[in-house]
Amino acid sequence: MTEQSAAPADEQTPTRIQVGGTAGTDPYEVLVGRSLLGELAGLIGADAKRVAVIHPEALAETGEAIRADLADQGYEAVAIQVPNAEEAKTAEVAAYCWKALGTSGFTRSDVVVGVGGGATTDLAGFVAATWLRGVRWIAVPTTVLGMVDAAVGGKTGINTAEGKNLVGAFHPPAGVLCDLGALDSLGVHDYVSGLAEVIKAGFIADPEILALIEADPEAARSPQGPHTAELLERSIRVKADVVSSDLKESGLREILNYGHTLAHAIEKNERYKWRHGAAVSVGMVFAAELGRLAGRLDDATADRHRSVLESVGLPLTYRGDQWPKLLETMKVDKKSRGDLLRFIVLNGLGRPTVLEGPDPAVLLAAYGEVSA
């Protein structure tokens, strides 16, 4: 992949990034800017009569404000409150949402709006994908993670006792509104967690992301930083470029899972109490070590993972005694094929590839480099 170019959004004019349209899918736009909720009704359209605003408990006021605004514009709008974070991504919560849609008389011309972080948009998209075999939905992500990862690409899903995102559907949104103003009130730990996905985009496709962060790591930790818009836009463009070519993860799209195989195992092991970005950070350090030990990745790029991630305050290690449990969980990862473990590693900066069936001793050695 080639290095991406991006012009940062300003206060008045949002940046519009197109996703899809090249692999037999309908294109949609990701808008990045400020004060974007005025764009929502236009994305919903005139054909919809009813709108369901799915939001987490933590964003009750925001969800109600959006519902009231849509009601003022003539829609039959209902707010559906769900639990915060990963607790929302269960079959029981999805069933609760389906019941609310049924009670509201939702038809195929109506629209679901998901407001919140990545877990909420994952759930909202899944509910939309499964109601009447698919209704339109719009993502309004409110976190860095939601903006650069979860809300783009159409991968929706819920968790089960066996693992993360094992039940889901590919169901692209009709549009995504990334209002940077939502990040201003985000806690520093949640904001920094989202940076793991930004840094991932830098390593797999756009090294300029890494250079911007390395130039001023402290500024990168804040939504008020001078490069916030550019960092998010570059990351979104990386994902948009990939998913436009491979909607259903049949090949190229797997590179977006860099660091995620171990990360998902850590999240399950911690019962989803760890932030996703923290787990991805450890997962990327592991993937870098795996690439190095497999003779794929040079020392300088492997070491750069640690320096960049540590500079913004992301973790580099996990518990050493948990390797047997993590290994068993990784065997049911979505990228696995039968009993064959598959990992995304780097052949060099911006050169992701698949490593199939690595030697168990190499896996253990790589984990030894990230175990606390």
Side-chain angles (χ1 to χ4, degrees):
M1 298 181 65
T2 58
E3 183 171 314
Q4 309 292 308
S5 61
D10 60 32
E11 294 285 332
Q12 290 76 35
T13 307
T15 295
R16 296 174 181 268
I17 301 169
Q18 182 171 302
V19 184
T22 60
T25 61
D26 292 331
Y28 61 92
E29 286 188 328
V30 180
L31 276 64
V32 185
R34 289 181 177 268
S35 303
L36 297 182
L37 287 181
E39 304 273 354
L40 184 55
L43 290 174
I44 293 171
D47 292 338
K49 181 179 180 182
R50 301 168 189 85
V51 180
V53 181
I54 297 178
H55 66 86
E57 181 182 356
L59 293 178
E61 290 186 11
T62 300
E64 173 56 27
I66 293 174
R67 186 212 64 79
D69 184 64
L70 292 173
D72 289 342
Q73 298 184 61
Y75 295 106
E76 293 181 16
V78 58
I80 304 175
Q81 181 169 297
V82 298
N84 295 324
E86 294 291 326
E87 291 183 6
K89 292 177 59 174
T90 68
E92 291 76 16
V93 175
Y96 170 77
C97 294
W98 292 325
K99 182 176 181 180
L101 297 185
T103 302
S104 302
F106 241 63
T107 70
R108 283 187 171 171
S109 62
D110 297 325
V111 177
V112 171
V113 176
V115 181
T120 305
T121 56
D122 278 356
L123 170 73
F126 179 70
V127 169
T130 48
W131 183 255
L132 300 177
R133 298 186 176 88
V135 298
R136 295 172 68 241
W137 75 289
I138 296 161
V140 185
T142 59
T143 65
V144 176
L145 176 62
M147 292 180 185
V148 304
D149 184 43
V152 181
K155 282 172 69 172
T156 72
I158 56 175
N159 305 328
T160 69
E162 289 69 37
K164 184 171 180 178
N165 295 332
L166 295 180
V167 176
F170 291 96
H171 189 54
V176 181
L177 299 181
C178 297
D179 194 324
L180 301 179
L183 304 179
D184 293 340
S185 58
L186 204 61
V188 63
H189 293 298
D190 288 322
Y191 187 85
V192 168
S193 173
L195 291 180
E197 293 286 355
V198 175
I199 292 169
K200 178 201 75 178
F203 276 111
I204 66 172
D206 185 2
E208 181 60 24
I209 289 172
L210 306 178
L212 287 170
I213 292 173
E214 287 167 331
D216 194 345
E218 194 59 36
R221 286 167 48 86
S222 168
Q224 284 77 40
H227 301 301
T228 296
E230 183 175 0
L231 287 170
L232 267 61
E233 287 172 23
R234 283 182 174 273
S235 302
I236 292 169
R237 288 181 191 278
V238 167
K239 186 162 189 180
D241 181 42
V242 171
V243 302
S244 294
S245 301
D246 181 15
L247 172 65
K248 296 190 176 181
E249 203 168 74
S250 58
L252 176 65
R253 186 165 176 166
E254 279 192 317
I255 69 172
L256 297 173
N257 286 315
Y258 185 58
H260 282 56
T261 304
L262 180 64
H264 286 165
I266 290 174
E267 288 181 281
K268 180 177 181 291
N269 199 49
E270 292 293 332
R271 299 182 180 180
Y272 304 107
K273 300 302 181 184
W274 261 48
R275 290 177 174 85
H276 177 69
V280 168
S281 178
V282 176
M284 282 193 287
V285 176
F286 171 77
E289 294 297 338
L290 186 58
R292 185 197 327 238
L293 291 170
R296 302 286 189 93
L297 187 61
D298 59 280
D299 290 342
T301 304
D303 292 340
R304 194 177 185 186
H305 284 69
R306 292 178 178 275
S307 63
V308 174
L309 292 164
E310 188 174 37
S311 74
V312 296
L314 284 163
L316 307 180
T317 60
Y318 188 63
R319 295 166 55 189
D321 61 345
Q322 297 300 296
W323 175 245
K325 293 173 64 177
L326 298 175
L327 183 60
E328 286 304 308
T329 299
M330 288 192 290
K331 289 179 179 178
V332 296
D333 182 84
K334 298 187 298 300
K335 293 181 294 305
S336 297
R337 302 289 185 269
D339 292 328
L340 192 66
L341 276 170
R342 301 167 84 251
F343 294 88
I344 305 301
V345 297
L346 298 181
N347 279 338
L349 186 58
R351 298 172 56 201
T353 187
V354 176
L355 177 64
E356 289 192 336
D359 188 303
V362 174
L363 285 173
L364 180 59
Y367 188 71
E369 295 296 321
V370 301
S371 61

